[in-house]
Amino acid sequence: MDFLTLFLLYLCSVLAVTALLCLCSGRKESFLARNVDRASQVLSLVIPARLQRVTHRALHRLYHTRSSLFVVLHMVLQALVFGEYTWEVFGYCWELHFHLLLLLLPYLLLAGNLGCFLLCSRADPGVITKSNHASLVRVYPYDGVMFQRGIVCPTCAWEKPARSKHCSVCRTCVHRFDHHCVWLNNCVGASNCSWFLLYLLALTATAASLAALTAALLLQALLLSNALHGTYLDAQGHEQPVGIAFLVQHLFLTFPRIVFMLGFVVLLTLVLGGYSSFCLYLAFTNQTTNEWCKARSFGGSHLPSQPHPRQLGYTNIYSKGIWRNLKEIFRPPTAPERKKK
């Protein structure tokens, strides 16, 4: 039981650190980034300077250059989880007469999330070029606070369209820039944000279905073994009814790999579920991750005609209601369509 507890704590720490690194990469102004900076300052007192320099170079190279490392890691993790599901969980569930459609559901969701992953990672996120710059400038109005007319991208040397941002990793300006995703090795922008949202929802559903089926299998195993009503002798030799700790230990000793997989997919479901809820909130309110992070610098509402926007609040002028916001995600507006309106 102690080993299982340590493993789960270790798994939680790894997932938390990975989430923090992904969320904080390239966002110096975010709350998470400031706390990571404070933690790194404390750690710098005990970590050798040479090791700090090597680590800093490695992280900078990892997050500021295009790399397929996280794409490969993503595929390896999915292969390991589905390998264990196919090798053991599927077989045990089939013997226990689980419905075939339930057992095939994770594979169907896997096909869906891999398809959306390929479309999102290979698609043009909305790169701004000389040929489309003039039309993209007219798609969204400038709000006068977060996006102001006349701001020139120092790298691309043209006026930034509203809601665009220059990605330092891809080295290009992206229309309706959301964020650069290391797991996709691509930016998320106007042209592929719909695929990203579908991919994220499908991935969350995949992890949840695996967790539900695996938990159902272990519960069925406990019911069939009558372990729920069993007893054991404690250190003093007294007979005691089994508790949750004893049952978890029993399952761990009987199905160690399945318990490991269940712990991983449950934590993954919680992390992905939280992030999916955040992305749905952004979609419902017609915000991007980049805009949400920038909006933390403002509060309340603002009047675009007033000076000193940094001292005023911020109101999202791009939201048109939930259904129209969702329509914009799946069918990005163009300059002619907006002109007709």
Side-chain angles (χ1 to χ4, degrees), residues 85 89 93 98 102 105-106 205-219 261-262 265-266 269:
Y85 173 76
V89 177
C93 289
F98 278 58
L102 289 177
L105 180 60
T206 303
S209 65
L210 288 171
L213 283 170
T214 305
L217 166 65
L218 295 179
L219 179 60
M261 188 193 80
L262 177 61
V265 293
V266 166
T269 302

Side-chain angles (χ1 to χ4, degrees), residues 6-305:
L6 290 174
F7 172 79
L8 292 177
L9 290 175
Y10 166 76
L11 198 58
C12 290
S13 302
V14 171
L15 290 175
V17 170
T18 303
L20 284 173
L21 289 175
C22 292
L23 289 172
C24 297
S25 59
R27 299 178 195 166
K28 297 180 180 179
E29 72 280 4
S30 68
F31 170 79
L32 289 173
R34 290 195 298 270
N35 283 276
V36 170
D37 288 339
R38 295 191 189 103
S40 63
Q41 292 174 4
V42 175
L43 292 175
S44 64
L45 301 175
V46 295
I47 299 177
R50 187 171 182 179
L51 180 58
Q52 292 182 42
R53 289 194 296 269
V54 172
T55 304
H56 182 268
R57 288 197 209 101
L59 290 176
H60 185 274
R61 182 179 180 84
L62 182 62
Y63 284 106
H64 292 83
T65 57
R66 298 198 68 177
S67 170
S68 299
L69 176 62
F70 282 96
V71 176
V72 174
L73 178 60
H74 170 269
M75 294 300 177
V76 169
L77 288 175
Q78 292 222 50
L80 290 175
V81 169
F82 270 89
E84 175 59 25
Y85 173 76
T86 304
W87 182 257
E88 288 195 293
V89 177
F90 188 96
Y92 286 133
C93 289
W94 182 254
E95 292 178 2
L96 294 174
H97 305 290
F98 278 58
H99 199 285
L100 181 59
L101 289 179
L102 289 177
L103 298 181
L104 294 179
L105 180 60
Y107 296 107
L108 298 176
L109 292 171
L110 174 66
N113 83 64
L114 286 180
C116 293
F117 172 82
L118 291 175
L119 290 171
C120 189
S121 61
R122 304 291 294 179
D124 176 8
V127 174
I128 301 174
T129 62
K130 290 182 179 180
S131 60
N132 64 14
H133 174 264
S135 61
L136 293 180
V137 167
R138 301 194 302 271
V139 173
Y140 292 110
Y142 293 90
D143 60 9
V145 177
M146 189 178 297
F147 304 105
Q148 302 184 42
R149 190 178 297 277
I151 303 298
V152 177
C153 175
T155 304
C156 300
W158 52 48
E159 182 183 10
K160 289 184 176 180
R163 311 191 77 182
S164 68
K165 187 180 184 299
H166 185 88
C167 177
S168 59
V169 180
C170 297
R171 299 177 182 179
T172 185
C173 283
V174 178
H175 180 51
R176 198 186 182 278
F177 177 85
D178 191 275
H179 70 287
H180 180 88
C181 181
V182 294
W183 299 99
L184 297 173
N185 196 25
N186 195 13
C187 285
V188 177
S191 300
N192 65 347
C193 59
S194 59
W195 292 117
F196 176 75
L197 183 61
L198 292 175
Y199 157 71
L200 196 58
L201 293 175
L203 187 61
T204 305
T206 303
S209 65
L210 288 171
L213 283 170
T214 305
L217 166 65
L218 295 179
L219 179 60
Q220 189 70 12
L222 289 176
L223 293 174
L224 291 175
S225 63
N226 203 29
L228 293 174
H229 305 288
T231 59
Y232 70 98
L233 296 178
D234 59 15
Q236 288 74 33
H238 299 119
E239 189 174 9
Q240 300 287 344
V242 297
I244 295 178
F246 184 89
L247 293 174
V248 172
Q249 183 178 5
H250 169 71
L251 290 174
F252 174 71
L253 294 175
T254 310
F255 310 103
R257 290 188 297 272
I258 296 179
V259 173
F260 280 168
M261 188 193 80
L262 177 61
F264 177 77
V265 293
V266 166
L267 291 173
L268 193 62
T269 302
L270 295 176
V271 173
L272 290 173
Y275 186 50
S276 297
S277 300
F278 172 70
C279 289
L280 283 174
Y281 161 75
L282 294 181
F284 291 156
T285 56
N286 203 342
Q287 294 184 81
T288 66
T289 305
N290 177 55
E291 293 165 1
W292 183 86
C293 292
K294 285 184 176 180
R296 300 310 95 194
S297 304
F298 309 100
S301 60
H302 81 281
L303 297 175
S305 59

